[in-house]
Amino acid sequence: MDKILVTGGLGYIGSHVVVELLEKGNQVVIIDDLSNAYESVLDGIQKITDKRPLWENVDIKDKTSLSSFFDKHQGFDGVIHFAASKSVGESVANPMLYYQNNVVGLLNLIDACLKNNVNNFIFSSSCTVYGKPDNLPISEDEPIKPASSPYGATKQMGEQILEDFSKSHGLKTIFLRYFNPVGAHSSGLIGELPINTPQNLVPFVTQTAAGVLEKLTVFGDDYDTPDGSCIRDYIHVQDLADAHIAALNYLESSKETCEVFNIGTGQGNSVLELINSFMEVTGVEVPYEVGERRAGDLPELYANPEKAIRKLNWKSKLDMKQALLDAWRWEKNYRGIK
Ligand code: UD1
């Protein structure tokens, strides 16, 4: 697969995947409407790879601009679809935005792919589709439970929609169910840069360490876990980017039309462990307090990544400490901190 369309390619995960694709010699075209990304990410990508990918400001909700985009750009071998909204809390407050962006946008993109003979599709899914799992670690066979937020519902629907098109139109599809992506490119030139106050733990930690935010709140230390704080599977965004390359290679050779893979390390770490590791590896103090539980948080989630190891020939290589060092390098670079 040579020519790849990356939707949301200026966002956090998308930009790291674009770098990997360019470094592997792929042609990349990005569409991104800058709703949660900055155009300057292109400079970071260019500094790392010596290549500046084509970018068009296209909102996938807008069928007309999507179709003019495809009139201009043809011959894609595959699409990697990141362009979606991802904040659980925001989805509860504004479900319309989530159904529009994540469902209507997806339908428009599938329609455009079918009309333009783009037959390989990688979909950013999430461990959120499992809801509260019965078993740990979570394997792909774990039943899908009712979603606890509109965001989660849109990821479940996205998978269902793609499965139907894969059956009816032979669209070859892979869903990658990410656990908790963290870290940044080792160059410190691209990383996670939310437009508003971060909702996720690691950007909250790095922005507190940088003095941008005053204090971090640990959402609950009375869970039934060894230290009372929640446990997650923190996967380095570089490893996650590699998983997309592995998935593209797999799509090329596989006869399966629709497959799902968990993308995690298989290792769970608590919120308090993460904060302490950050302070240990960076030597920077992070002021924090323990607060109330956050509605909707589950005590413990971590992946069984065996299927991806076996079939995609992919495995995470970088640990949480490395991810925290990389996230901090990026935050310092961005803020101009020595
Ligand atoms: C959530 C979604 C996931 C989505 C991800 C990215 C669920 C179950 N998970 O993950 O699908 O892809 O967001 O948007 O819907 N925490 C604090 N203080 C903070 C922030 C977080 O203590 O200021 C804790 C949380 O309680 C949680 C852990 O840190 O235990 C990780 O939180 P977060 O980074 O928001 O990710 P998830 O909620 O696990």
Side-chain angles (χ1 to χ4, degrees):
M1 288 202 216
D2 281 342
K3 189 170 176 182
I4 307 295
L5 170 62
V6 183
T7 76
L10 298 183
Y12 173 43
I13 304 171
S15 57
H16 289 80
V17 171
V18 166
V19 164
E20 284 310 300
L21 287 168
L22 291 172
E23 286 186 337
K24 297 265 172 326
N26 292 87
Q27 271 188 72
V28 177
V29 181
I30 296 172
I31 55 179
D32 197 304
D33 67 355
L34 303 183
S35 57
N36 193 22
Y38 296 90
E39 192 177 341
S40 59
V41 172
L42 284 170
D43 302 332
I45 294 172
Q46 186 172 7
K47 279 190 193 137
I48 298 169
T49 63
D50 259 341
K51 294 174 195 158
R52 196 172 182 89
L54 276 172
W55 158 66
E56 300 262 2
N57 188 334
V58 175
D59 175 353
I60 56 167
K61 293 196 292 304
D62 179 353
K63 272 195 116 158
T64 316
S65 68
L66 199 53
S67 132
S68 338
F69 167 82
F70 276 99
D71 289 342
K72 262 171 72 185
H73 302 276
Q74 284 289 321
F76 291 109
D77 299 300
V79 54
I80 309 183
H81 177 42
F82 297 103
S85 300
K86 62 161 188 175
S87 159
V88 173
E90 184 185 46
S91 79
V92 175
N94 189 359
M96 183 62 87
L97 179 73
Y98 278 68
Y99 289 109
Q100 289 282 350
N101 280 348
N102 298 7
V103 180
V104 175
L106 172 66
L107 283 167
N108 290 344
L109 181 64
I110 294 171
D111 189 40
C113 286
L114 296 177
K115 285 181 178 141
N116 292 281
N117 297 316
V118 185
N119 296 317
N120 294 293
F121 199 113
I122 296 182
F123 179 62
S124 294
S125 191
S126 162
C127 65
T128 196
V129 300
Y130 295 112
K132 187 176 184 324
D134 296 329
N135 302 293
L136 286 168
I138 304 172
S139 75
E140 292 82 355
D141 303 328
E142 195 64 26
I144 302 293
K145 300 271 187 62
S148 58
S149 69
Y151 162 73
T154 65
K155 289 293 169 192
Q156 293 179 342
M157 286 175 197
E159 290 192 0
Q160 182 62 60
I161 290 167
L162 281 160
E163 196 177 333
D164 290 342
F165 280 98
S166 132
K167 280 186 197 138
S168 62
H169 290 71
L171 186 65
K172 283 170 74 180
T173 307
I174 285 186
F175 313 143
L176 297 180
R177 291 182 182 153
Y178 313 148
F179 281 67
N180 287 59
V182 291
H185 192 267
S186 57
S187 63
L189 293 168
I190 55 170
E192 189 165 10
L193 188 56
I195 283 204
N196 298 314
T197 308
Q199 306 295 322
N200 297 113
L201 180 61
V202 170
F204 220 105
V205 168
T206 56
Q207 290 194 18
T208 307
V212 178
L213 300 171
E214 203 184 316
K215 200 191 279 172
L216 172 75
T217 302
V218 174
F219 296 143
D221 70 349
D222 57 351
Y223 286 95
D224 185 16
T225 59
D227 66 20
S229 65
C230 292
I231 291 176
R232 294 288 181 273
D233 183 334
Y234 294 98
I235 168 115
H236 197 299
V237 67
Q238 266 320 112
D239 280 332
L240 191 54
D242 287 344
H244 292 76
I245 308 296
L248 276 178
N249 291 338
Y250 181 80
L251 268 183
E252 204 162 25
S253 57
S254 145
K255 291 190 183 54
E256 297 281 346
T257 51
C258 189
E259 270 208 79
V260 53
F261 295 97
N262 281 341
I263 304 297
T265 64
Q267 162 89 38
N269 286 104
S270 76
V271 174
L272 289 168
E273 273 171 358
L274 184 144
I275 298 168
N276 287 324
S277 290
F278 180 88
M279 296 198 280
E280 183 196 318
V281 295
T282 64
V284 181
E285 200 61 26
V286 179
Y288 71 88
E289 62 185 8
V290 176
E292 297 291 304
R293 291 182 177 193
R294 182 171 69 177
D297 277 343
L298 295 167
E300 203 167 0
L301 298 170
Y302 56 95
N304 175 346
E306 288 307 316
K307 187 178 174 196
I309 294 171
R310 187 164 37 86
K311 295 185 91 171
L312 296 182
N313 199 18
W314 165 90
K315 195 178 190 312
S316 68
K317 298 189 193 86
L318 305 166
D319 64 11
M320 185 177 77
K321 288 188 174 169
Q322 188 60 51
L324 294 171
L325 273 174
D326 290 336
W328 181 230
R329 184 183 303 108
W330 153 248
E331 186 77 51
K332 281 197 300 185
N333 247 359
Y334 181 71
R335 308 270 167 207
I337 299 170
K338 290 278 166 253

